[in-house]
Amino acid sequence: MQQWIVEIAFATRNGVRTQEESFYLPTRHDVRNAVQKMGGHVLSIRPHERTPLERILARSTWWQVQLLRGIQFRSTATSPGVAFWNMIESETNPRRQNILAPAREALSRGLGVIDALKSLNIFDHGTLSILSASERANKLAEGIPHAIHSITQKRKNNQAIMGTMAWLGFDVFTIVQSLFWGKGMVIEWFKGNAPTDPDELEKFNNVVGNLELTWNVLIYFAFAMGAFMAWAVFSFILNRGKTDWPTARIVRKIPLIGGYLRDLGFSDSMAAAARMLQGHVPISDTLEESSNATSVPEVSLYWSDAKEMLSRGISLGTALDKPPLTKAERLELATLSDLDQVATIMIAIAEMRTQSSKTKHKLIVWLAFVLTGLYLALAFGSAIYALTVMNMSMDSMMGGLLEGAM
């Protein structure tokens, strides 16, 4: 689904009248059909776009929390859909009106509050899964606090990682800058003050060559890692809301980070499935919604396979008892004897995955410290190495001067 801004021409007795309308439909062809039913003619169609400032505001956790709290506050006296509509209609800030325009169009066409929230393209899959599960259980107002907690917890984790990486990155940047700008001057000075003794000269050239190679490797490695990290961050921002794309597949192949993302995916989807089962949502619908509750393909495939096995008459415990669940999680499922226990077991698995993701988060931070420390040790070690080369050159110069004086 996509929001389109359409310029339409209507034939009237007073001539042609043009006006601009917004449509929330899948394709341009659907938009043209809708305009024809209105008796108009399409002049232009363009996708709804936000300014860079609006995109930053819309994807900020502060805006997301305020939006959900507004819906929760207004849901005490009316349905969540009507509460969201009233919230949009009462908004007077033009920038926020433009952000909320897709949701307004979705609601005006009879779609539900979850579809309206999805149309904004600002929430991650985990948050949407919590909201969708609560809405399916007719307890959206009760699920909003859980969604807000999920948003704030992920924000804290991201801030911790970004703060650590920024601090370590600054240290590496200063060292790389010193190496990059000083390498040429130092190496040229060494080559211009080489020893005159043949044996010392050969040893000196080997040392200078190793030093130059070490500095080049450190500099190019830092540039390559910096370019990869910048490309990955930009790609994740640009593809926010998508389930899979090349950069995400590359990042998931990194062992520790891939496991961290998988844990988050299982934590979100298991919690969402438990909430739906507690709300008496049919098990087949629960498995389908859980499959859509994560952007990690491996986790999504787990739920899809479970639903397919269940449709073939296999018991629920057997359908869920398979990789990529861990041995401890599968032992939890092995105790399943009736459907009433499923939600409890899923909550337990979600808590186990949450704890596992926190552990991996700490490991990522500490591993960043260790690798950065190793890089800095190599940089400082090469600098000390340079001092030995300088001493060789200075000893040679002093020896030459003493011989000349005598």
Side-chain angles (χ1 to χ4, degrees):
M1 299 291 279
Q2 167 74 46
Q3 186 181 14
W4 309 90
I5 306 300
V6 186
E7 187 178 3
I8 308 173
F10 294 96
T12 66
R13 294 180 179 180
N14 298 325
V16 177
R17 176 175 59 87
T18 61
Q19 67 182 56
E20 194 174 77
E21 295 281 348
S22 64
F23 294 85
Y24 188 65
L25 293 168
T27 64
R28 293 175 184 268
H29 180 70
D30 296 321
V31 174
R32 294 183 184 277
N33 291 337
V35 172
Q36 289 178 358
K37 292 179 181 179
M38 297 170 58
H41 301 276
V42 174
L43 298 179
S44 65
I45 303 177
R46 61 179 175 85
H48 174 271
E49 295 180 355
R50 296 171 181 154
T51 65
L53 183 61
E54 289 171 350
R55 286 196 292 268
I56 294 173
L57 175 61
R59 291 174 179 175
S60 67
T61 55
W62 176 86
W63 163 256
Q64 295 175 19
V65 170
Q66 294 303 313
L67 179 62
L68 293 178
R69 283 177 177 168
I71 296 174
Q72 181 187 15
F73 176 75
R74 290 172 173 81
S75 297
T76 57
T78 184
S79 67
V82 174
F84 194 16
W85 176 265
N86 292 336
M87 182 178 176
I88 295 172
E89 289 295 300
S90 63
E91 183 60 63
T92 57
N93 187 298
R95 183 173 291 112
R96 294 180 181 177
Q97 286 177 342
N98 196 39
I99 294 173
L100 294 171
R104 186 182 189 279
E105 177 66 19
L107 291 173
S108 67
R109 295 190 175 277
L111 298 179
V113 64
I114 299 300
D115 291 320
L117 290 173
K118 288 180 180 179
S119 70
L120 296 176
N121 196 27
I122 62 175
F123 296 102
D124 59 30
H125 287 273
T127 303
L128 286 174
S129 70
I130 296 173
L131 296 172
S132 179
S134 302
E135 194 268 342
R136 292 293 298 271
N138 295 319
K139 297 180 181 179
L140 180 59
E142 298 178 12
I144 288 178
H146 296 280
I148 292 175
H149 175 74
S150 174
I151 293 172
T152 54
Q153 187 62 42
K154 290 177 182 178
R155 177 179 62 188
K156 291 178 181 178
N157 292 341
N158 292 335
Q159 287 176 344
I161 291 178
M162 295 303 296
T164 302
M165 297 304 294
W167 178 59
L168 297 177
F170 176 77
D171 288 342
V172 174
F173 174 77
T174 55
I175 297 299
V176 171
Q177 187 181 34
S178 301
L179 291 175
F180 181 77
W181 295 109
K183 178 177 72 74
M185 180 180 65
V186 173
I187 296 298
E188 288 300 323
W189 188 89
F190 286 156
K191 292 181 178 179
N193 295 276
T196 56
D197 182 79
D199 295 334
E200 291 291 331
L201 179 61
E202 182 179 0
K203 181 180 179 182
F204 178 85
N205 288 333
N206 289 333
V207 172
V208 172
N210 292 334
L211 177 62
E212 186 175 12
L213 177 63
T214 301
W215 281 357
N216 285 333
V217 170
L218 290 175
I219 291 171
Y220 292 144
F221 177 77
F223 284 162
M225 289 299 299
F228 172 77
M229 292 177 65
W231 169 61
V233 170
F234 177 76
S235 179
F236 270 84
I237 294 175
L238 189 65
N239 294 281
R240 188 186 183 100
K242 294 183 179 180
T243 56
D244 196 24
W245 66 97
T247 307
R249 289 194 290 270
I250 293 174
V251 171
R252 285 196 300 270
K253 289 181 180 179
I254 303 174
L256 195 56
I257 295 179
Y260 173 70
L261 295 175
R262 186 167 55 251
D263 286 343
L264 289 179
F266 267 117
S267 176
D268 291 337
S269 59
M270 282 286 180
R275 290 190 63 83
M276 283 185 280
L277 290 177
Q278 289 173 341
H280 306 291
V281 176
I283 185 63
S284 60
D285 294 340
T286 297
L287 296 177
E288 182 177 358
E289 287 290 336
S290 299
S291 176
N292 298 326
T294 176
S295 60
V296 182
E298 187 178 4
V299 179
S300 180
L301 184 62
Y302 166 84
W303 294 105
S304 299
D305 289 346
K307 180 184 177 182
E308 194 272 335
M309 293 172 67
L310 193 66
S311 65
R312 290 191 281 112
I314 298 175
S315 65
L316 180 61
T318 304
L320 295 175
D321 183 12
K322 64 179 185 299
L325 292 184
T326 63
K327 183 178 180 179
E329 293 165 346
R330 297 177 72 173
L331 287 175
E332 289 280 348
L333 289 171
T335 63
L336 178 64
S337 59
D338 57 73
L339 194 61
D340 294 335
Q341 296 178 339
V342 178
T344 303
I345 293 175
M346 285 184 173
I347 290 175
I349 294 176
E351 292 175 351
M352 294 170 64
R353 286 288 178 166
T354 300
Q355 188 60 42
S356 177
S357 67
K358 291 180 179 179
T359 303
K360 287 185 175 64
H361 173 263
K362 293 178 181 179
L363 288 175
I364 291 172
V365 173
W366 280 108
L367 184 61
F369 271 107
V370 171
L371 293 178
T372 305
L374 179 62
Y375 183 90
L376 295 177
L378 289 173
F380 282 119
S382 63
I384 296 173
Y385 189 56
L387 292 177
T388 63
V389 180
M390 185 180 295
N391 289 334
M392 292 174 60
S393 180
M394 293 299 293
D395 291 342
S396 177
M397 291 176 61
M398 293 301 295
L401 290 174
L402 290 175
E403 290 178 1
M406 295 177 62

